[in-house]
């Protein structure tokens, strides 16, 4: 969420990192949580629109309830995440970002009636609003001052959360899609060393996920609310980096999966789950490791949720940052290139490598990519920055990308990055007026036709990861309880079957390619711990074989340490039992030549059935000196 002053914040951040041994972090004080106000009644009506909720995913595309492509043409309406800079009087506008005291509600409600704001939004050509909020807002019970809603007196006497409610309802009724964005823990402006670096910087992970469940439930009846953007710009604090998959308290991969599954199972199964990549790790000093991982870790460790059609990945790009540049100037500035320093071809390569590779079809990481923040100032005169803005919007246009500009609304004379700026009398300036240099690139981005209409069904590939615990992503399996107590368990999401395993590391690969809806409707399952169901000959001589009962197929497995503990099988809807073959992978990879599904167990030997096959059994050995992990799969031809 940058604007011009952010370079100064990042410089201060870098200086803080260099002095880590002697510094402590003081965040804006968060009040002791009070009882959360009860959810208010929300309007259920929605103005006519060219889309129909809820949204889901089909391969790299977001689709509406009719299966038609819905492109997120979005902007960020900020304010409710907080604007206080962290020093000086909280009541002094000069102590707030760009001199704009948002009073923890979306900006502009003091200057413009909400109906006119939404009409201006529509004129920009956007269909979606990313609506930030802070966890502090969720628990506040003090009403906003009357001056904060001067142009909308019907909102007087409401708490920040109740004002947020009214904004959500108004957006939905006007036909906008709304994606809730947990931007900050505290109501302090992001994104330096400010107590908002991680989802659990100023609170516990449990509180964070509890707040998400609360927010998702609160708006479950509002048809325009289509997504939960879990956390903004996860990054390093003074001493520690976030990580992707280490299994500790700073593991963003695990926290995001937990929150996404809780939202879908406890609050609102209709929501898209938006997971942003890691925004920054390392110390920004030449010669020391540092950079922006963005989505690159998803190549070998992607998310699998209980609903395989709800995951959207997200990344942010600004001209003054770079693949290895924090955006700082002065102290903390390294000699790495900024994005705006890259040639057009170099920028395109960076965007592909750091984010848009996720849209490649037929991989465990395949998902829509939403660039949920980018932007530039209307007063920008640097030709390098202007060229970058044209180049990146061209890339988004050429790739038919989902996007969200930062920010949407600002005060005239304060924040010239905003698409729309309003003075104290409500007079508008910005992109809709003549002379804004950003307008041609913006119109090229918003007006160039992209893919529309029905999106064909795409095969789903998903990874199972038991690196640090269970990976049971089937709701039907979860409902049966603990099917192998004490073991690490993995089960494919409902609708998918197990098709690949790694010899070490506990990874699995699931798909519905070649046979969607293979499982019978009765919900039965079999936990196989011995060879009682082995039939059709000895398909792995000398090895222990866990084979599914006749007519069933593999949907999961469990491990005790490295050793295979059990196979989990489900009965097939059609008759199963085609010809079989043994796929060995204890000494090398044994996968289809096309590599369908992608690298799901980097550094380990892997075995995988073909697209026209299903897995019917797992073989392993406990011989002294041998690894006891999966060594072979029995693959049978699909009917």
């Amino acid at each position: 969420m940058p604007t011009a002053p952010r370079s100064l914040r990042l410089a201060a951040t870098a200086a803080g990192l260099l002095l880590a041994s002697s510094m402590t972090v003081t965040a804006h004080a968060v009040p002791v949580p009070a009882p959360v106000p009860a959810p208010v009644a929300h309007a259920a009506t929605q103005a006519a629109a060219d889309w129909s909720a809820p949204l889901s995913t089909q391969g790299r595309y977001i689709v509406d309830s009719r299966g038609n492509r819905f492109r997120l043409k979005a902007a960020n309406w900020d304010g409710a995440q907080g604007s206080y800079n962290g020093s000086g009087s909280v009541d002094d506008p000069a102590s707030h970002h760009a001199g704009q005291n948002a009073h923890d509600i979306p900006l502009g409600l003091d200057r413009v009636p909400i109906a006119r704001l939404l009409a201006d939004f529509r004129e920009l050509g956007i269909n979606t609003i990313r609506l930030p909020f802070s966890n502090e807002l969720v628990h506040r019970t003090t009403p906003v001052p009357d001056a904060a809603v001067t142009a909308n007196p019907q909102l007087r006497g409401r708490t920040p959360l109740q004002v947020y409610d009214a904004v959500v309802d108004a957006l939905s009724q006007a036909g906008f899609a709304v994606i809730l964005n947990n931007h900050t823990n505290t109501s302090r402006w992001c994104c330096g060393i400010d107590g908002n670096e991680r989802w659990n910087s100023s609170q516990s992970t449990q509180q964070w996920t509890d707040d998400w469940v609360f927010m998702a439930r609160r708006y479950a009846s509002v048809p325009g609310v289509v997504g939960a953007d879990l956390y903004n710009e996860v990054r390093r604090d003074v001493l520690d980096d976030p990580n992707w998959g280490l299994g500790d308290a700073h593991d963003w991969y695990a926290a995001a999966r937990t929150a996404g599954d809780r939202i879908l199972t406890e609050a609102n199964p209709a929501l898209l789950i938006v997971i942003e990549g890691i925004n920054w790790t390392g110390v920004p000093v030449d010669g020391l490791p540092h950079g922006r991982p963005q989505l690159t870790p998803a190549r070998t460790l992607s998310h699998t949720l209980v609903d395989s059609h709800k995951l959207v990945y997200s990344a942010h790009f600004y001209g003054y940052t770079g693949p290895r540049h924090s955006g700082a100037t002065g102290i903390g500035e390294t000699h790495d290139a900024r994005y705006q320093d890259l040639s057009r071809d170099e920028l395109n390569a960076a965007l592909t490598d750091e984010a848009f590779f996720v849209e490649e079809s037929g991989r465990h990481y395949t998902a829509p990519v939403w660039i949920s923040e980018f932007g530039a100032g209307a007063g920008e005169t640097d030709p390098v920055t202007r060229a970058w803005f044209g180049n990146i919007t061209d890339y988004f246009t050429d790739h038919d990308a989902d996007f969200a500009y930062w920010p949407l609304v600002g005060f005239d004379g304060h924040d010239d990055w905003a698409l729309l700026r309003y003075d104290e009398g409500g007079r508008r300036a910005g992109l809709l007026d003549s002379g804004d240099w950003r307008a041609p690139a913006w119109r090229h981005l918003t007006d160039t036709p992209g893919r529309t209409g029905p999106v064909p069904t795409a095969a789903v590939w998903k990874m199972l990861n038991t690196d640090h615990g269970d990976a049971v992503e089937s709701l039907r399996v979860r409902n049966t309880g603990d099917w192998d107590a004490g073991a690490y368990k993995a089960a494919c999401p409902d609708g998918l079957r197990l098709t690949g395993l790694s010899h070490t590391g506990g990874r699995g690969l699931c798909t519905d390619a070649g046979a969607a809806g293979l499982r019978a409707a009765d919900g039965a399952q079999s936990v196989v711990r011995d060879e009682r169901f082995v039939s059709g000959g000895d398909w792995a001589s000398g090895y222990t074989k866990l084979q599914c009962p006749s007519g069933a197929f593999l949907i999961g497995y469990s491990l005790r340490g490295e050793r295979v503990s059990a196979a989990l099988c489900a009965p097939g809807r059609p008759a199963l039992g085609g010809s079989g073959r043994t796929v060995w992978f204890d000494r090398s990879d044994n996968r289809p030549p096309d590599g369908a599904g992608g690298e799901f167990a980097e550094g380990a030997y892997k075995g995988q059935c073909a697209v026209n096959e299903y897995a019917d059994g797992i073989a392993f050995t406990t011989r002294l000196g041998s690894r006891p992990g999966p060594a072979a799969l029995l693959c049978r031809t699909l009917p």
Side-chain angles (χ1 to χ4, degrees):
M1 49 184 294
T3 51
R6 188 179 182 195
S7 296
L8 301 178
R9 291 201 315 278
L10 287 167
T13 296
L17 292 171
L18 295 174
L19 299 172
S21 61
S22 62
M23 279 192 61
T24 58
V25 177
T26 303
H28 180 40
V30 180
V32 176
V36 178
V40 299
H42 292 290
T45 59
Q46 181 180 18
D50 58 358
W51 63 282
S52 174
L55 302 182
S56 57
T57 67
Q58 197 62 252
R60 62 138 291 187
Y61 294 106
I62 296 170
V63 297
D64 71 4
S65 65
R66 304 183 187 101
N68 294 325
R69 195 280 175 93
F70 182 79
R71 184 184 183 194
L72 301 182
K73 296 182 177 183
N76 289 266
W77 191 3
D78 79 301
Q81 83 285 353
S83 56
Y84 179 59
N85 281 328
S87 62
S89 171
V90 72
D91 296 320
D92 183 356
S95 301
H96 291 257
H97 168 70
Q100 302 174 145
N101 186 349
H103 297 286
D104 302 325
I105 61 175
L107 282 164
L109 298 176
D110 60 331
R111 301 173 178 224
V112 188
I114 193 167
R116 185 157 72 83
L117 282 169
L118 302 192
D120 290 349
F121 298 172
R122 183 68 71 190
E123 195 173 343
L124 285 168
I126 60 177
N127 58 21
T128 303
I129 300 296
R130 183 177 185 242
L131 197 63
F133 69 90
S134 71
N135 296 95
E136 189 173 344
L137 170 146
V138 174
H139 299 274
R140 278 197 171 168
T141 58
T142 303
V144 301
D146 288 352
V149 291
T150 300
N152 292 274
Q154 74 278 13
L155 301 180
R156 289 176 181 167
R158 301 196 188 188
T159 66
L161 182 57
Q162 290 168 339
V163 173
Y164 193 90
D165 293 338
V167 168
V168 168
D169 276 337
L171 288 166
S172 178
Q173 292 170 26
F176 288 96
V178 180
I179 296 180
L180 311 175
N181 165 234
N182 183 201
H183 212 78
T184 52
N185 300 168
T186 74
S187 289
R188 180 174 168 182
W189 179 259
C190 167
C191 290
I193 300 297
D194 50 36
N196 295 307
E197 298 85 4
R198 295 187 308 275
W199 64 99
N200 58 356
S201 290
S202 304
Q203 61 190 352
S204 68
T205 297
Q206 180 68 45
Q207 183 62 61
W208 176 67
T209 57
D210 286 348
D211 282 355
W212 256 123
V213 169
F214 169 81
M215 291 293 278
R217 284 177 178 166
R218 188 174 186 90
Y219 304 111
S221 65
V222 183
V225 175
V226 298
D229 184 349
L230 297 181
Y231 203 71
N232 182 75
E233 296 190 6
V234 174
R235 60 198 181 277
R236 181 187 176 94
D237 60 17
V238 171
L239 297 176
D240 297 298
D241 284 329
N243 67 78
W244 190 280
L246 294 185
D248 60 14
H250 294 177
D251 184 351
W252 172 232
Y253 167 85
R257 186 175 75 174
T258 297
D261 277 351
R262 283 199 65 192
I263 290 167
L264 293 174
T265 57
E266 299 177 35
N268 186 353
L271 292 181
L272 295 174
I273 303 299
V274 180
I275 300 176
E276 187 179 334
I278 294 176
N279 192 258
W280 182 261
T281 58
V283 181
V285 174
D286 288 332
L288 294 180
H290 57 267
R292 297 185 183 279
Q294 301 275 31
L295 295 173
T296 54
R299 278 193 178 92
T300 53
L301 184 57
S302 63
H303 286 85
T304 297
L305 303 174
V306 293
D307 188 329
S308 296
H309 294 280
K310 291 297 182 181
L311 172 65
V312 174
Y313 278 124
S314 167
H316 294 176
F317 292 97
Y318 288 99
Y320 63 82
T321 63
R324 286 170 38 82
H325 202 300
S326 69
T329 55
I331 297 176
E333 182 175 8
T334 62
H335 288 83
D336 305 301
R338 303 173 191 262
Y339 289 113
Q340 66 189 27
D341 299 326
L342 303 179
S343 70
R344 187 181 180 93
D345 288 344
E346 289 170 336
L347 176 62
N348 291 356
L351 293 170
T352 300
D353 178 64
E354 296 170 30
F356 282 90
F357 75 90
V358 172
E359 295 187 337
E360 181 184 2
S361 64
R363 298 291 180 258
H364 61 80
Y365 51 73
T366 301
V369 172
W370 184 32
I371 306 304
S372 54
E373 287 190 27
F374 77 102
E380 181 62 67
T381 58
D382 185 349
V384 173
T385 304
R386 288 191 171 199
W388 167 83
F389 190 76
N391 288 339
I392 200 168
T393 52
D394 282 349
Y395 184 97
F396 295 165
T397 303
D398 294 343
H399 285 73
D400 197 12
D402 298 280
F403 62 87
Y405 184 94
W406 182 281
L408 175 55
V409 175
F411 296 169
D412 197 27
H414 291 260
D415 186 354
D416 79 336
W417 280 58
L419 290 175
L420 302 172
R421 305 185 305 277
Y422 298 91
D423 67 13
E424 292 181 354
R427 288 176 290 272
R428 188 188 74 199
L431 195 82
L432 295 176
D433 303 327
S434 61
D436 193 310
W437 69 268
R438 303 168 298 174
W442 176 259
R443 288 304 182 195
H444 178 56
L445 176 60
T446 57
D447 296 349
T448 300
R451 179 168 188 160
T452 59
V455 176
T457 300
V460 174
W461 300 87
K462 291 294 179 182
M463 167 192 289
L464 294 176
N465 160 31
T466 62
D467 292 3
H468 305 289
D470 289 350
V472 178
E473 295 302 323
S474 164
L475 292 176
R476 296 172 74 173
V477 172
R478 288 187 182 189
N479 288 337
T480 65
D482 191 341
W483 50 274
D484 194 0
Y488 278 1
K489 297 168 285 292
C492 294
D494 293 328
L496 307 187
R497 67 185 185 277
L498 187 67
T499 193
L501 286 171
S502 64
H503 180 50
T504 56
R507 297 287 180 88
L509 182 66
C510 306
T511 191
D512 62 358
L518 189 61
R519 186 171 180 174
D522 61 9
Q525 64 185 39
S526 302
V527 180
V528 180
R529 296 185 174 87
D530 54 39
E531 295 190 334
R532 73 184 64 189
F533 298 113
V534 174
S535 61
D538 189 348
W539 52 272
S541 179
Y543 284 67
T544 302
K545 295 168 283 293
L546 305 183
Q547 187 172 335
C548 292
S550 177
F553 62 99
L554 278 169
I555 60 170
Y557 56 95
S558 58
L559 303 166
R560 295 179 186 273
E562 285 192 29
R563 179 176 175 172
V564 176
S565 177
L568 185 64
C569 305
R573 177 178 49 80
L576 298 177
S579 60
R581 65 185 181 103
T582 303
V583 174
W584 291 97
F585 52 95
D586 55 340
R587 293 180 177 86
S588 64
D589 277 6
N590 193 348
R591 303 180 62 208
D594 62 1
E599 175 56 81
F600 68 93
E602 184 179 35
Y605 294 148
K606 297 166 287 296
Q608 183 177 332
C609 299
V611 169
N612 66 339
E613 295 175 325
Y614 67 95
D616 189 30
I618 306 170
F620 66 99
T621 183
T622 56
R623 289 196 303 262
L624 186 64
S626 298
R627 305 294 287 266
L633 283 169
L634 175 60
C635 299
R636 294 190 182 277
T637 304
L638 286 164

